[in-house]
Amino acid sequence: MPETRTWQVKWQSAQRSARVAARRAARSARTAARTAQRAAQATTGAAQHAWQAAPQQTRQTWQLTAVSAATGLAVAVVAVAAAGPWDSGQRTAERAAAVPAPATGGEHHDDGRAPRPAPSAPAVLTALGGPARGAVGRGGAAPAPTDAGLADALSPLLSDPALGPLRTASVVDVAAGRQVFGEKQDETATPASTVKLATAVAALSRLGADHRIDTGVVLAGKDRIVLVGGGDPTLTARAVGPGPDERPASLRDLADATAHALQQRKLTTVGLGYDASAYTGPAEHPIGPNENIAPVAALMTDEARLDDSDHGTAPRSTDPAGDAARTFAGLLKERGITVTGDPAEARAPKNPDRIAVVRSLPLSALVERMLTYSDNDIAEALARQTALAAHQPASFDGAAKAVRDALAAQHLPLADAVFEDGSGLDRDDKVSANLLSRLLLAAAAPDKPELRPVLTGLPVAAFTGTLRGRYVGDTAGAGTVRAKTGTLTGVNSLAGTVVDADGRLLAFAFMTTGTTDPQAAQKALDRMASTVANCGCR
């Protein structure tokens, strides 16, 4: 859809584009190629040196802008070849030159195919408001959009009949920390899976990005052991091959360590109990048995999936803890340890002698996976981990209170907000577009690096996670929009970040309820995000 804006903005855009075209036409192709090669070599060497010298948290901040920058540039080049140099009154190449933005990237709507790798690029820091390559304005700083310019571009799109009766929106200028567009932004609505942004911020702020979840084995008598779950839904019982990346915690590794410890104690026959008491309250989500989520248990393997999938919908075990314990007994047997009888529920001793332990991936990685694939099991686990850290009951109610308290401590706008779960499957959840955009603003704050995984985990339009199948053919949004999706029957939401045509990082949240055509509603929201990405809006 052509971008909606005033004739003045179109004229300014055309003028800028003409200037860019004239400058580029003056250069010969051979000179440009030599210059690009020298710059690429120098940049690559500098980037590698800076990357190796930088601490982990700084690397995460750099990653916010790297992948989407390259992706946006690549998509824009394809668009020039396929559609010509002009797009909605703006030169496509000019837009491509102003796309330095965040990095990485998906919800149970994923089609199950492996995500395509996004291109990489030297790290840049323009996303937090610094000078942008190709940006215009005094001193090379990316100019801020105006309230009127964004209203001119977005207000007509909010009238799309595909959207439901309730339509809310908030767009925030990250560098300035202020809202530049709002429409009923303080009115609460059902967020669906975009509530995972709140869960992520709460967990990271309360626990820290390096927190890991333990699963252990303790002695409970001279010839009895207890498998103790700490709440890691990604604990895997599957064989995991070697690789450069960190692996999830492995039940096989735990069996190796346990068998070794028992053999050192001259024990080859033991009884086995299992303790999943870290979580309390109902295990079943209020929506009831559902392939989108397993019973919420402190002990499970592979999210209690009964097939070989690792994300998306799947048949689930009705007894995740018991199944995990029985699998563990079989693994011990393979390692020369006989388990007498069937594993039974038990409580670990108050001062246990722990003989083996495995630890989950760090919380930063769990948050990224949760957001990329809209993983409901990880979301509910992180909400309960937040409750445990706040000394609240690790139940739906306790987690809801803990999440709200953690967000309140971040001074986020919580008026009329309701958190019934951590995943967004509960239709009684209520948040505002203002809250969603402010969660993203907090995650981008330079003084809060522990929240950065909220941004690095956002799916990339047309490339990863729950946005992999969206924005296909949308040259303005593909590779430049990074956003968390939210979908329930009659509910559609989208919240994320873009770097606009002038190189300015903006956070946005668009919500609608009462929709009757989910595909059309998604396209309407996608169009709004693409418009922000394609817009100078001054």
Side-chain angles (χ1 to χ4, degrees), residues 64-130:
L64 298 183
T65 58
V67 172
S68 287
T71 304
L73 286 167
V75 172
V77 169
V78 173
V80 171
W86 293 94
D87 182 6
S88 303
Q90 184 177 19
R91 188 170 177 82
T92 307
E94 177 189 357
R95 185 177 67 241
V99 193
T104 26
E107 184 161 16
H108 49 264
H109 304 294
D110 194 84
D111 60 10
R113 294 176 294 174
R116 289 176 288 168
S120 59
V124 290
L125 290 171
T126 57
L128 296 181

Side-chain angles (χ1 to χ4, degrees), residues 9-352:
V9 174
K10 288 183 179 179
W11 178 248
Q12 291 168 356
S13 176
Q15 285 180 316
R16 291 197 304 270
S17 300
R19 288 196 296 270
V20 171
R23 288 196 299 269
R24 289 180 179 174
R27 302 187 188 101
S28 71
R30 184 178 301 172
T31 300
R34 287 199 299 266
T35 302
Q37 184 178 20
R38 288 196 298 270
Q41 290 171 345
T43 302
T44 299
Q48 289 176 342
H49 177 76
W51 180 264
Q52 292 169 353
Q56 178 65 27
Q57 289 181 337
T58 301
R59 292 185 189 183
Q60 279 191 327
T61 301
W62 289 351
Q63 285 175 340
L64 298 183
T65 58
V67 172
S68 287
T71 304
L73 286 167
V75 172
V77 169
V78 173
V80 171
W86 293 94
D87 182 6
S88 303
Q90 184 177 19
R91 188 170 177 82
T92 307
E94 177 189 357
R95 185 177 67 241
V99 193
T104 26
E107 184 161 16
H108 49 264
H109 304 294
D110 194 84
D111 60 10
R113 294 176 294 174
R116 289 176 288 168
S120 59
V124 290
L125 290 171
T126 57
L128 296 181
R133 182 180 50 198
V136 296
R138 296 180 65 181
T146 65
D147 299 24
L150 274 169
D152 207 35
L154 291 177
S155 292
L157 300 181
L158 276 170
S159 299
D160 193 316
L163 300 177
L166 178 59
R167 307 147 187 233
T168 73
S170 174
V171 180
V172 174
D173 177 3
V174 171
R178 73 175 190 90
Q179 183 172 275
V180 287
F181 176 78
E183 177 68 29
K184 297 182 180 178
Q185 66 273 14
D186 294 317
E187 186 168 344
T188 59
T190 301
S193 282
T194 54
V195 84
K196 291 182 174 74
L197 295 171
T199 303
V201 169
L204 288 166
S205 63
R206 185 68 75 180
L207 294 159
D210 295 328
H211 177 77
R212 296 175 186 256
I213 305 170
D214 289 358
T215 304
V217 176
V218 302
L219 291 175
K222 67 174 185 178
D223 58 357
R224 185 167 179 78
I225 59 174
V226 177
L227 174 64
V228 183
D232 176 15
T234 65
L235 176 70
T236 183
R238 301 168 183 171
V240 181
D245 298 328
E246 277 196 279
R247 305 183 304 163
S250 168
L251 197 67
R252 293 168 182 256
D253 291 347
L254 187 62
D256 286 339
T258 301
H260 178 72
L262 291 174
Q263 288 161 353
Q264 282 191 321
R265 290 169 169 79
K266 311 299 183 184
L267 288 172
T268 57
T269 301
V270 294
L272 173 63
Y274 61 91
D275 186 346
S277 63
Y279 291 173
T280 60
E284 189 173 282
H285 191 280
I287 64 172
N290 192 286
E291 290 195 342
N292 284 299
I293 189 169
V296 185
L299 176 63
M300 66 170 65
T301 58
D302 301 299
E303 299 182 341
R305 296 172 181 273
L306 298 178
D307 58 17
D308 60 358
S309 65
D310 62 7
H311 67 276
T313 58
R316 309 299 184 106
S317 167
T318 57
D319 181 19
D323 284 352
R326 286 184 282 274
T327 299
F328 188 63
L331 292 171
L332 288 177
K333 182 179 180 180
E334 292 174 3
R335 289 153 176 79
I337 303 298
T338 300
V339 175
T340 59
D342 293 328
E345 288 187 74
R347 284 295 184 101
K350 288 187 177 181
N351 297 301

Side-chain angles (χ1 to χ4, degrees), residues 471 481 494 498 508 510 524-534:
Y471 291 86
V481 173
L494 190 69
V498 297
F508 67 85
F510 305 133
L525 297 180
D526 292 348
R527 191 175 298 117
M528 292 172 67
S530 294
T531 296
V532 177
N534 190 47

